[in-house]
Amino acid sequence: MWLKPEEVLLKNALKLWLMERSNDYFVLQRRRGYREEGGGGLTGLLVGTLDSVLDSTAKVAPFRILHQTPDSQVYLSIACGANREEITKHWEWLEQNIMKTLSVFDSNEDITNFVQGKIRGLIAEEGKHSFAKEDDPEKFREALLKFEKCFGLPEQEKLVTYYSCSYWKGRVPCQGWLYLSTNFLSFYSFLLGSEIKLIISWDAVSKLEKTSNVILTESIHVCSQGENHYFSMFLHINQTYLLMEQLANYAIKRIFDKETFDNDPILDDPLQITKRGLENRAHSEEFNAFFRLPKEETLKEVHECFLWVPFSHFNTHGKMCISENYICFASQDGNLCSVIIPLREVLAIDKTNDSSKSVIISIKGKTAFRFSEVKEFEQLVAKLRLKCGAASTQYHDISTEVPISSESVDPSDDIEVQSLICQKECSKTVNTEALMTVFHPQDLETLNSKTLKEKMKEQSWNILFTECGRGVSMFRTKKTQDLVVRGIPETLRGELWMLFSGAVNDMAANPGYYAEVVEQSLGTCNLATEEIERDLRRSLPEHPAFQSDTGISALRRVLTAYAFRNPKIGYCQAMNILTSVLLLYAKEEEAFWLLVAVCERMLPDYFNRRIIGALVDQAVFEELIRDHLPQLTEHMTDMTFFSSVSLSWFLTLFISVLPIESAVNVVDCFFYDGIKAILQLGLAILDYNLDKLLACKDDAEAVTALNRFFDNVTNKDSPLPSSVQQGSNVSDEKSSHIRVDITDLIRESNEKYGNIRCEDIYSMRCRNRLYVIQTLEETTKQNVLRVVSQDVKLSLHELDELYVIFKRELFFSYYWCLRAPVLKHHDPSLPYLEQYQIDCQQFRVLYHLLSPWAHSANRDSLALWTFRLLDENSDCLINFKEFSSAIDIMYNGSFTEKLKVLFKLHIPPAYTEVKYKDPSKGDELSKEELLYFSQLHVSKPAKEKEAESAKNSPKGKEKVDIQAYLSQWQDELLKKEENIKDLPRMNQSQFIQFSKTLYNLFHGDPEEELLYQAIAVVTSLLLRMEEVGRKLHNPASSTKGLSGAVCASGGPSEGQTESHLEKDPSSLREEPQWSFAFEQILASLLNEPALVKFFEKPIDLKAKLENAKTSQLSSRTRK
């Protein structure tokens, strides 16, 4: 079978493969030990053993074909075969169809590109007919039954796909099956009586990568909670890895960053995830990222075809990609040529009658695109005509036919017609000109060398526009990139930023949106607006545009409007610096949509409280440094230096460290190439300063060297006035340092590191995102444990284990209870203790697993009352500190502390009378009953509850009330000093339930009989004391009946005692109620050594925790 071309490691290949045939461009190899006499020695025997373990579908293919070029050490795997006949067929096809063609190419690079394109085309052709074979419903049904039988997970756990592979247990491979489901990676193997069962939750994965070593050419490495797992011998390892990567990232997003993905149907309902759906989603994400389209676009169809390039007079081979609102084309090479055609621009779609199978798409501006050799082109034309009909209706109000040619003043005029009308209606304050045109108008009469160079740049772009078109649908070629690297002219910068970022499409789809948001956000006051006001004067303060009210007001409107549009991000430092530069070159509304494109598409998750996106890209940057500048990583003892230095590079796109006239050239490249441009430039800067950095003795010296370098970066061609240029203000004393031109630096970064692929960056982002999220989660855990450990006697290790169990139970609810009414998803903006909270149902499960009192017959009632006791703010949720305090008392509390908890469980607000709807279930509460009783609190007016909640826990992005925090802290200190005398008295019915609870706790204890007698004695004593006290105050009253009943029972029979306790309340309801103070109960119980011994005997918490960890998942398995 043909394989997607990928590089292979020759040092490993030589040990595992033998060459059978070769020519100038291809090599056919056989796996060592396959059909070899004597097995090929020890190495062959080992390889043969690995390749033949159990299941045939997991074997490594014994034959493969590699592509090579003369004078190159790079080999690409292009085909594999299960037998000699199959691989020979591929080899002969290459000799007959490819070898003759390769001789016409002049360079090795062209040969490699041609071979790669041809192989990818063959794979695409085969893939159209292979889906039915891969998605065999019968086989999948069998795998699903095996999955359910082996792991017993809840029915809601959806199996996505499965693979045969080997799991390495030490140095021994165990052949089995890998099951990928929505929440777990599971592996099962049963060989010669040895069973291996592995379940890893995706949210616990901190590392997921493809690795290779001497024995295994390729394997998948999974790290979870400090444990390393290796899986190998996949038939399609790349497909498997990509699917695992997607599932792990979706789990992370769904659980840890839920607020960012509220509108994502797949993340909202994991039950809808399928293998085909994940593959389609991956293709759509890649499609949107490559063409910078709105996130909502979904790739619908892909057609291989040829596009006629008029200025080059040839047909380029590539793929036509169609989504709901766009037709896009990318040449096979990717960098050669690409085109984006919005359906709103399409005027007509025609087909030719000749044999070329051509589709002609005509757009506004008298431009037409001719796609030829399109399979099923007639059906495609019909579909596109329907789409364009819908699109023209959708965009009818904002479309006017403006010819797009080199003479056009502005290609976005047709988009702005309706937008400007809406702006005038909504607000008269929105600027319709870029600040640069207002504060630095070009003087056409004064021409100097810089102005002439600027005019030459403009002329180069105008020539390009004449050849390639202007506007959204222009041809984007290698020449376009070369012009961007040289720097975009000042007059075209705003237009081209909009074009390359895709912001022009967002603005076209939302006419008048910005003006409306500005109108709605005016006058709002919250934490975001306060931070914006504080930073307004810090945004390019040296530039005259931001020394005036015009620039400051525009900046305020854009930032406030975005905070209003996206409250999840609101405002983050660095957004002001970026937005101020956008306003210099783009109109105000355009600057807003550029900011949207940067924050929501190009730099995802950068501008939030945890700046996860920036941390991820820093990790990617460190990985690239290790690959491309190994001598620097060897010199630096701590890689965190690069993270601390580069954070501002990523957050501000170098604007904060480079002079403004140089920084805008970096922004040019960023809008064209995305984060790739920033990573390349970062590597180039470190490479340029390599000798200086290697000579530095500490981090401070290295930072100084880099800062001195940035001060000497210039832009010799910048037409900006010297009063604005920051680089020109460098004193003459520093002239001894070599000046570096930004254009040369960017060109060097492209030449040295331009081979870094966007696909590799995306993969590194996914891989490092797992690590970054888990690192942040570990920080949260350590902070929580540090706070909680001060108030409990549990060891740090016990607290750590308890936290893992607590958090895991919460995540189980996220897995399978998608719409729980009370549960709140993870909110990193909250204090550490409040980020994870559980409800009563989850607490009951943990109570059953961990509580030493969980064997009690009324354990559900005890769990309910304990939860109500801990839930002091009545929000039906408790945090880890509250949970651990209860566990700590149960295991490490003194006799008095344990009794005090039991006493408080049987008085309000914790106690509530439990009435069972279904008596046949005994004392077991249903989930609905449990949630109902947990919400029965002393009623308060809604407004009072809101006020109290706001007072006790100021959170979110509103203004923080320091006094409320101090008051809350003072209240917590007072709670610690709670006196037992302050406890309310326990009434008759509560005391009866308290006595029943004690009897239930003693059940099954070795000293059960002795304990029953002791509690009967205590109960009798308390009732007699109450009777004497009542007689002294009121001689007419008597509790003779109840006292006699308890005395007669003598305590040995639990059933008899309970029956008396249950009957007597009804007989005494008409008599005055009696009650007990805690001191009375405590004093009476202290007189019974058996009771004191029962509550003070040590309990092994470690064993309980271990048992809970192993049985936590099984408690939710299929019944």
Side-chain angles (χ1 to χ4, degrees):
M1 60 182 292
W2 298 110
L3 302 175
K4 181 181 177 182
E6 288 196 354
E7 293 184 17
V8 297
L9 300 175
L10 287 181
K11 63 177 182 180
N12 296 338
L14 294 175
K15 297 175 182 177
L16 300 176
W17 297 89
L18 297 172
M19 185 173 69
E20 292 213 333
R21 296 190 192 180
S22 69
N23 55 40
D24 290 342
Y25 301 107
F26 301 100
V27 178
L28 191 155
Q29 294 180 331
R30 173 175 53 82
R31 187 82 162 166
R32 188 182 291 274
Y34 181 77
R35 292 188 178 177
E36 192 172 341
E37 291 185 10
L42 181 60
T43 306
L45 182 63
L46 177 60
V47 174
T49 302
L50 296 178
D51 289 350
S52 60
V53 177
L54 279 181
D55 194 275
S56 60
T57 59
K59 292 180 184 177
V60 175
F63 295 96
R64 70 177 181 180
I65 297 175
L66 304 180
H67 165 62
Q68 65 170 351
T69 54
D71 304 324
S72 173
Q73 296 300 313
V74 178
Y75 284 70
L76 300 174
S77 62
I78 60 172
C80 69
N83 51 57
R84 192 179 299 276
E85 182 183 355
E86 181 184 0
I87 204 69
T88 302
K89 184 178 178 182
H90 286 331
W91 180 266
E92 290 175 352
W93 189 92
L94 290 171
E95 286 186 326
Q96 295 171 9
N97 297 278
I98 300 294
M99 287 293 295
K100 297 176 183 178
T101 310
L102 297 183
S103 59
V104 303
F105 291 97
D106 297 328
S107 69
N108 292 336
E109 185 179 355
D110 291 339
I111 292 173
T112 302
N113 288 338
F114 177 80
V115 171
Q116 285 182 305
K118 196 65 182 176
I119 298 301
R120 287 194 179 102
L122 292 170
I123 294 172
E125 190 64 26
E126 288 180 351
K128 294 178 181 178
H129 309 290
S130 63
F131 287 131
K133 296 178 183 178
E134 292 178 1
D135 298 345
D136 189 330
E138 279 302 319
K139 283 191 176 182
F140 189 85
R141 192 175 297 109
E142 291 175 11
L144 180 60
L145 291 173
K146 189 175 179 182
F147 172 70
E148 294 171 351
K149 179 182 177 182
C150 292
F151 304 102
L153 296 171
E155 293 181 3
Q156 300 95 321
E157 183 64 20
K158 181 178 175 60
L159 177 64
V160 177
T161 190
Y162 61 99
Y163 298 100
S164 175
C165 70
S166 288
Y167 170 65
W168 287 80
K169 193 174 183 181
R171 296 188 175 185
V172 180
C174 304
Q175 184 64 32
W177 291 91
L178 180 71
Y179 299 90
L180 306 181
S181 58
T182 50
N183 299 297
F184 298 99
L185 176 157
S186 310
F187 178 84
Y188 183 81
S189 173
F190 187 83
L191 179 62
L192 302 176
S194 176
E195 183 183 53
I196 296 177
K197 188 183 293 186
L198 183 70
I199 301 178
I200 301 172
S201 56
W202 290 119
D203 56 75
V205 174
S206 57
K207 183 180 286 187
L208 180 66
E209 61 183 356
K210 284 193 296 183
T211 60
S212 61
N213 53 44
V214 176
I215 298 177
L216 299 172
T217 50
E218 280 190 304
S219 61
I220 296 176
H221 172 211
V222 179
C223 181
S224 172
Q225 297 178 342
E227 296 183 3
N228 293 305
H229 308 276
Y230 292 89
F231 302 90
S232 67
M233 300 187 190
F234 292 95
L235 190 60
H236 304 293
I237 191 169
N238 292 324
Q239 175 190 358
T240 308
Y241 175 74
L242 289 174
L243 205 58
M244 292 170 70
E245 190 177 63
Q246 279 186 290
L247 287 168
N249 274 284
Y250 287 156
I252 291 289
K253 291 175 182 179
R254 190 170 70 246
I255 291 172
F256 297 118
D257 286 325
K258 177 66 178 175
E259 69 277 4
T260 311
F261 300 91
D262 283 337
N263 297 323
D264 194 315
I266 289 185
L267 295 175
D268 279 345
D269 187 2
L271 299 180
Q272 301 302 317
I273 292 179
T274 62
K275 179 184 174 184
R276 182 69 59 82
L278 288 173
E279 290 171 349
N280 292 341
R281 185 184 177 91
H283 294 151
S284 292
E285 288 176 352
E286 185 180 354
F287 165 70
N288 290 339
F290 184 85
F291 293 106
R292 303 282 164 74
L293 300 179
K295 293 186 296 183
E296 297 77 21
E297 291 299 311
T298 304
L299 182 62
K300 298 295 185 182
E301 297 179 57
V302 177
H303 299 272
E304 281 204 43
C305 61
F306 290 86
L307 173 64
W308 173 252
V309 184
F311 51 88
S312 298
H313 302 288
F314 76 94
N315 282 310
T316 179
H317 180 243
K319 292 181 179 179
M320 178 198 294
C321 305
I322 303 171
S323 66
E324 292 92 342
N325 299 298
Y326 297 89
I327 302 170
C328 304
F329 176 88
S331 60
Q332 199 72 52
D333 184 3
N335 294 323
L336 183 62
C337 178
S338 64
V339 170
I340 302 171
I341 307 172
L343 294 186
R344 64 176 182 270
E345 298 285 329
V346 174
L347 295 177
I349 298 176
D350 301 297
K351 59 183 178 181
T352 58
N353 296 322
D354 55 21
S355 60
S356 63
K357 300 179 183 178
S358 298
V359 178
I360 300 173
I361 300 176
S362 303
I363 65 169
K364 299 168 187 175
K366 300 177 182 178
T367 304
F369 298 91
R370 184 175 182 269
F371 300 91
S372 58
E373 299 299 327
V374 182
K375 292 189 177 181
E376 300 178 352
F377 71 105
E378 293 180 345
Q379 293 91 323
L380 179 62
V381 168
K383 289 179 186 177
L384 291 178
R385 283 174 177 170
L386 285 174
K387 276 182 174 289
C388 289
S392 61
T393 303
Q394 181 182 352
Y395 292 99
H396 178 71
D397 294 336
I398 62 168
S399 299
T400 54
E401 292 187 27
V402 179
I404 299 175
S405 64
S406 57
E407 289 80 17
S408 299
V409 177
D410 190 340
S412 59
D413 284 345
D414 60 327
I415 298 170
E416 294 174 359
V417 172
Q418 187 72 12
S419 178
L420 290 175
I421 295 173
C422 294
Q423 287 178 10
K424 290 176 182 178
E425 292 176 353
C426 298
S427 175
K428 302 289 185 183
T429 59
V430 175
N431 288 344
T432 55
E433 286 187 288
L435 294 179
M436 192 62 74
T437 61
V438 177
F439 289 88
H440 303 298
Q442 290 194 2
D443 188 356
L444 300 178
E445 296 180 1
T446 305
L447 292 177
N448 52 35
S449 60
K450 291 185 177 181
T451 310
L452 287 172
K453 284 185 178 179
E454 188 73 4
K455 289 295 178 186
M456 290 173 64
K457 281 186 184 179
E458 290 181 23
Q459 187 60 31
S460 298
W461 278 95
N462 287 330
I463 293 171
L464 181 75
F465 292 150
T466 303
E467 292 179 351
C468 303
R470 186 171 185 174
V472 186
S473 301
M474 69 180 290
F475 284 89
R476 303 173 197 212
T477 63
K478 184 69 168 61
K479 186 177 180 181
T480 313
Q481 185 181 30
D482 293 339
L483 289 178
V484 171
V485 169
R486 287 170 53 190
I488 298 175
E490 302 278 308
T491 54
L492 297 175
R493 192 160 263 142
E495 173 191 336
L496 293 176
W497 283 359
M498 288 288 290
L499 181 65
F500 296 144
S501 67
V504 64
N505 296 315
D506 293 321
M507 192 168 80
N510 298 277
Y513 174 86
Y514 173 66
E516 292 174 11
V517 173
V518 167
E519 196 73 22
Q520 293 170 12
S521 62
L522 284 177
T524 55
C525 183
N526 50 42
L527 186 60
T529 57
E530 289 183 7
E531 291 175 346
I532 289 170
E533 288 298 325
R534 184 188 62 212
D535 289 346
L536 284 176
R537 305 283 173 182
R538 305 176 186 174
S539 309
L540 297 186
E542 68 286 342
H543 199 286
F546 298 100
Q547 295 170 358
S548 71
D549 186 59
T550 303
I552 293 294
S553 298
L555 183 60
R556 178 188 293 113
R557 285 192 296 271
V558 172
L559 291 175
T560 306
Y562 186 78
F564 184 84
R565 164 192 167 86
N566 193 342
K568 298 297 182 183
I569 292 178
Y571 171 77
C572 178
Q573 281 191 335
M575 287 173 68
N576 61 316
I577 297 173
L578 175 61
T579 308
S580 58
V581 172
L582 299 179
L583 282 166
L584 287 177
Y585 295 98
K587 300 170 186 178
E588 188 175 319
E589 183 181 11
E590 294 175 341
F592 170 80
W593 287 113
L594 284 169
L595 184 63
V596 170
V598 170
C599 294
E600 298 177 14
R601 284 204 312 273
M602 301 185 73
L603 298 179
D605 294 339
Y606 261 60
F607 302 99
N608 53 31
R609 287 182 177 270
R610 300 196 293 176
I611 57 172
I612 289 175
L615 296 177
V616 170
D617 282 344
Q618 281 183 313
V620 172
F621 187 51
E622 289 180 14
E623 195 172 330
L624 291 172
I625 292 172
R626 282 190 287 268
D627 292 341
H628 295 276
L629 300 170
Q631 61 272 50
L632 193 57
T633 56
E634 291 172 6
H635 176 73
M636 291 290 181
T637 55
D638 188 2
M639 289 292 286
T640 55
F641 164 75
F642 299 110
S643 298
S644 59
V645 167
S646 64
L647 182 61
S648 62
W649 302 358
F650 292 106
L651 283 174
T652 66
L653 307 179
F654 285 96
I655 296 170
S656 63
V657 293
L658 286 175
I660 181 64
E661 66 275 10
S662 300
V664 291
N665 283 38
V666 178
V667 179
D668 293 343
C669 297
F670 167 74
F671 280 126
Y672 190 83
D673 274 330
I675 193 63
K676 178 175 179 281
I678 305 301
L679 293 169
Q680 287 178 185
L681 184 60
L683 289 173
I685 289 169
L686 295 179
D687 188 19
Y688 191 91
N689 293 276
L690 185 61
D691 294 337
K692 295 178 182 177
L693 292 173
L694 292 176
C696 292
K697 298 177 181 178
D698 53 37
D699 291 353
E701 195 176 340
V703 170
T704 303
L706 287 174
N707 288 338
R708 189 177 294 120
F709 168 79
F710 287 130
D711 289 339
N712 287 280
V713 175
T714 62
N715 186 351
K716 61 186 178 183
D717 297 334
S718 174
L720 290 178
S722 57
S723 59
V724 174
Q725 292 192 33
Q726 297 170 353
S728 62
N729 297 330
V730 180
S731 62
D732 294 334
E733 296 176 7
K734 296 184 180 180
S735 59
S736 59
H737 297 289
I738 300 174
R739 297 292 181 89
V740 182
D741 188 70
I742 187 63
T743 305
D744 296 335
L745 191 61
I746 292 173
R747 186 180 291 110
E748 185 177 339
S749 73
N750 270 282
E751 291 173 356
K752 284 191 174 182
Y753 307 108
N755 60 342
I756 298 174
R757 300 189 310 160
C758 294
E759 296 87 346
D760 295 333
I761 293 175
Y762 176 79
S763 180
M764 285 190 282
R765 272 180 160 180
C766 290
R767 184 166 64 247
N768 285 287
R769 185 182 182 84
L770 298 174
Y771 170 75
V772 168
I773 291 282
Q774 296 297 354
T775 302
L776 293 172
E777 286 300 301
E778 182 64 23
T779 302
T780 298
K781 182 178 79 171
Q782 294 304 325
N783 281 299
V784 170
L785 298 186
R786 189 183 70 251
V787 171
V788 173
S789 62
Q790 300 172 6
D791 299 326
V792 297
K793 299 173 185 176
L794 297 168
S795 68
L796 275 176
H797 177 72
E798 290 170 337
L799 273 177
D800 191 298
E801 296 283 306
L802 197 62
Y803 183 86
V804 170
I805 295 171
F806 176 89
K807 185 175 167 184
R808 196 178 185 202
E809 184 60 36
L810 179 64
F811 284 3
F812 285 162
S813 298
Y814 291 166
Y815 294 167
W816 303 303
C817 304
L818 302 177
R819 293 174 178 82
V822 179
L823 284 180
K824 298 176 181 176
H825 280 276
H826 178 237
D827 184 356
S829 66
L830 296 176
Y832 289 121
L833 279 171
E834 305 301 322
Q835 288 185 19
Y836 294 113
Q837 300 181 86
I838 59 174
D839 65 6
C840 192
Q841 167 64 14
Q842 296 161 327
F843 179 79
R844 173 171 66 172
V845 175
L846 293 176
Y847 186 90
H848 289 177
L849 289 171
L850 295 168
S851 173
W853 304 337
H855 64 276
S856 173
N858 65 333
R859 62 178 187 171
D860 278 4
S861 298
L862 279 178
L864 168 66
W865 299 330
T866 306
F867 180 84
R868 288 168 59 87
L869 178 65
L870 298 173
D871 183 22
E872 296 181 0
N873 61 354
S874 303
D875 65 348
C876 300
L877 295 169
I878 63 170
N879 60 35
F880 179 71
K881 183 178 181 181
E882 295 161 338
F883 172 75
S884 59
S885 67
I887 298 296
D888 182 54
I889 291 175
M890 291 178 191
Y891 283 92
N892 300 322
S894 63
F895 173 77
T896 304
E897 289 172 332
K898 291 179 181 178
L899 192 65
K900 181 179 171 183
V901 167
L902 284 170
F903 182 87
K904 292 171 76 172
L905 292 182
H906 293 82
I907 59 174
Y911 179 76
T912 182
E913 188 176 355
V914 176
K915 295 179 181 179
Y916 299 94
K917 296 180 180 179
D918 188 357
S920 64
K921 292 185 178 181
D923 291 337
E924 184 180 342
L925 287 170
S926 68
K927 182 178 178 180
E928 292 73 20
E929 290 173 326
L930 192 69
L931 293 175
Y932 169 75
F933 288 124
S934 69
Q935 296 168 10
L936 287 178
H937 291 282
V938 180
S939 59
K940 294 181 182 179
K943 291 183 179 179
E944 185 181 337
K945 283 185 179 179
E946 291 176 8
E948 185 177 316
S949 174
K951 177 183 176 182
N952 291 336
S953 58
K955 45 181 104 167
K957 292 183 179 264
E958 299 303 319
K959 192 172 180 179
V960 179
D961 189 348
I962 303 299
Q963 292 298 324
Y965 274 119
L966 291 174
S967 175
Q968 186 178 355
W969 181 53
Q970 186 66 27
D971 290 343
E972 289 178 358
L973 289 177
L974 292 174
K975 287 174 190 174
K976 293 180 182 179
E977 302 170 5
E978 181 184 52
N979 196 311
I980 59 176
K981 293 182 179 180
D982 299 329
L983 292 172
R985 295 175 69 86
M986 182 179 283
N987 66 28
Q988 177 180 327
S989 62
Q990 294 162 1
F991 178 73
I992 293 171
Q993 183 58 58
F994 176 74
S995 302
K996 289 175 66 177
T997 296
L998 290 178
Y999 276 108
N1000 287 329
L1001 290 180
F1002 303 149
H1003 182 66
D1005 191 271
E1007 304 291 334
E1008 181 178 1
E1009 196 71 20
L1010 189 60
L1011 290 167
Y1012 283 160
Q1013 291 177 2
I1015 195 61
V1017 171
V1018 169
T1019 306
S1020 176
L1021 178 61
L1022 287 169
L1023 290 172
R1024 286 178 179 176
M1025 289 170 57
E1026 179 64 17
E1027 182 180 2
V1028 171
R1030 197 186 303 278
K1031 284 181 178 179
L1032 290 175
H1033 289 88
N1034 185 6
S1037 67
S1038 174
T1039 57
K1040 193 178 293 183
L1042 180 60
S1043 176
V1046 174
C1047 293
S1049 70
S1053 172
E1054 180 189 0
Q1056 291 178 7
T1057 309
E1058 286 193 14
S1059 65
H1060 284 296
L1061 290 170
E1062 289 173 358
K1063 292 176 183 177
D1064 287 335
S1066 60
S1067 63
L1068 293 174
R1069 279 175 188 166
E1070 297 178 0
E1071 297 181 8
Q1073 289 285 313
W1074 42 263
S1075 61
F1076 297 104
F1078 177 70
E1079 300 100 304
Q1080 292 175 288
I1081 297 175
L1082 176 63
S1084 302
L1085 291 174
L1086 282 171
N1087 288 326
E1088 295 295 329
L1091 294 175
V1092 176
K1093 181 182 177 183
F1094 173 82
F1095 283 106
E1096 288 192 341
K1097 67 181 177 183
I1099 307 171
D1100 188 3
L1101 176 59
K1102 182 179 179 181
K1104 202 77 172 176
L1105 290 171
E1106 285 299 321
N1107 181 63
K1109 285 169 66 177
T1110 56
S1111 59
Q1112 191 173 12
L1113 183 58
S1114 62
S1115 65
R1116 292 176 173 269
T1117 55
R1118 302 165 194 264
K1119 305 299 182 185

